[in-house]
Amino acid sequence: MNNLSLSDTDRVLILGATGFIGRRLVKALVEKNIRLRLLVRTPAKASAIVPKSSDVEIVQGDLQDTGRLRKALAGIHSVFYLVHSMGGSSILKNTEFAKKDKRIARSFIQAADEEKVQRVIYLGGLGEKGQGLSEHLVSRAEVADILSSGKTAATILRAAVIIGAGGASYEMLRYLVERLPVMTCPKWINTRIQPIAVHDVIQYLTGCLTNVDTAGKTFDIGGPEVLTYKIMMQQYATARGLVKRIIIDLPFITPSLSAYWVDLVTPIPSGVAHPLIEGLKNEVICLDSSIDNYIPIKKTTFQEAVKQAFSEETTGPGVTGF
Ligand SMILES: NC(=O)c1ccc[n+]([C@@H]2O[C@H](COP(=O)([O-])OP(=O)(O)OC[C@H]3O[C@@H](n4cnc5c(N)ncnc54)[C@H](OP(=O)(O)O)[C@@H]3O)[C@@H](O)[C@H]2O)c1
């Protein structure tokens, strides 16, 4: 029988708890006294983010190991699904992450159904299916479809670039603008995007858990402004008090060439950076605002989000692994 409401004794599993979003979510849910379990590959990383004397269980395991996954799912009410398989530093095109993410999502939803998990809440990507959608964004949509195909009620949140210290896309932007007063950029510089502050994302994720009416629904989430990458870079410089950046459009530069340029200027591993750069050609803006009916929040502007991210760079959860 479905029981979507979370009781005081129920436990919530976070997958991806050691990531950019996951570690902030752990903190937010612990503050709400929600009992947690984290499935992590490296327990030492998790111990560092779990506040002392909180009710948080840590299970060591890789999501590809179905035995460990079943152990982690036993007795769980709801799951936050915050994982992807991009990574590594090969400069060759990484074509494996999408296959791996599909495989992991399928075995997850099968196990969640068998363990009678009530809800799964997934944070994926904005971007519309069709010709020209990047492999990364196609993969995020495939995972959403797989997670929605089970008996467990799925809530899908779709976001563009998330602004916060330690986020891969945000860090790419930060390094480029901080290091280069003059930039030559390809066509993607004029693509429209609706970035969102990480603090707002965390409010939506926690809000979905406590509002059962969000179960079984898909929501687009974004900040209050639709910008272009060019405006985003200029606004970043303004928020940081840097001299105005000179950005020269060179439409003939290919995305692959700009990916190698990002490898030179930023420390972001190419296994993450290249799939993200391929997606810069895709418009990522909210087509639906129904989340406002369920979780009304005051949305953070882009410049305010940059200021918050910068203040976290050396102290808060935003200490980056890059
Ligand atoms: N960052 C953004 O700007 C952004 C924008 C839109 C949507 N999203 C979505 O938000 C979600 C979270 O992204 P993020 O930025 O937080 O990613 P992230 O920082 O790269 O974290 C990914 C997490 O997944 C874990 N993980 C990966 N493969 C695993 C496996 N096989 N078994 C167990 N754990 C595994 C990692 O664990 P380790 O610590 O062991 O590596 C890490 O905790 C993703 O679905 C992403 O598509 C992010």
Side-chain angles (χ1 to χ4, degrees), residues 16 18-21 41 45 62-63 82-84 104 122-124 140 159-160 162:
T18 53
F20 164 56
I21 301 296
R41 296 189 283 200
K45 272 200 206 173
D62 189 298
L63 264 170
L82 305 170
V83 289
H84 65 78
I104 289 176
Y122 166 64
L123 177 61
R140 297 294 77 203
I162 299 173

Side-chain angles (χ1 to χ4, degrees), residues 81-143:
Y81 196 98
L82 305 170
V83 289
H84 65 78
S85 300
M86 290 186 301
S89 53
S90 162
I91 57 164
L92 298 172
K93 192 166 186 259
N94 181 350
T95 51
E96 291 307 306
F97 71 87
K99 283 188 206 148
K100 194 167 161 187
D101 276 332
K102 258 203 271 195
R103 229 178 17 245
I104 289 176
R106 281 200 193 108
S107 76
F108 164 79
I109 202 64
Q110 190 185 339
D113 284 354
E114 284 167 16
E115 293 294 335
K116 303 208 173 351
V117 170
Q118 299 296 317
R119 299 188 63 188
V120 55
I121 300 169
Y122 166 64
L123 177 61
L126 275 168
E128 306 324 307
K129 287 182 196 161
Q131 244 192 352
L133 193 62
S134 74
E135 200 173 356
H136 162 58
L137 293 176
V138 168
S139 164
R140 297 294 77 203
E142 279 171 354
V143 169

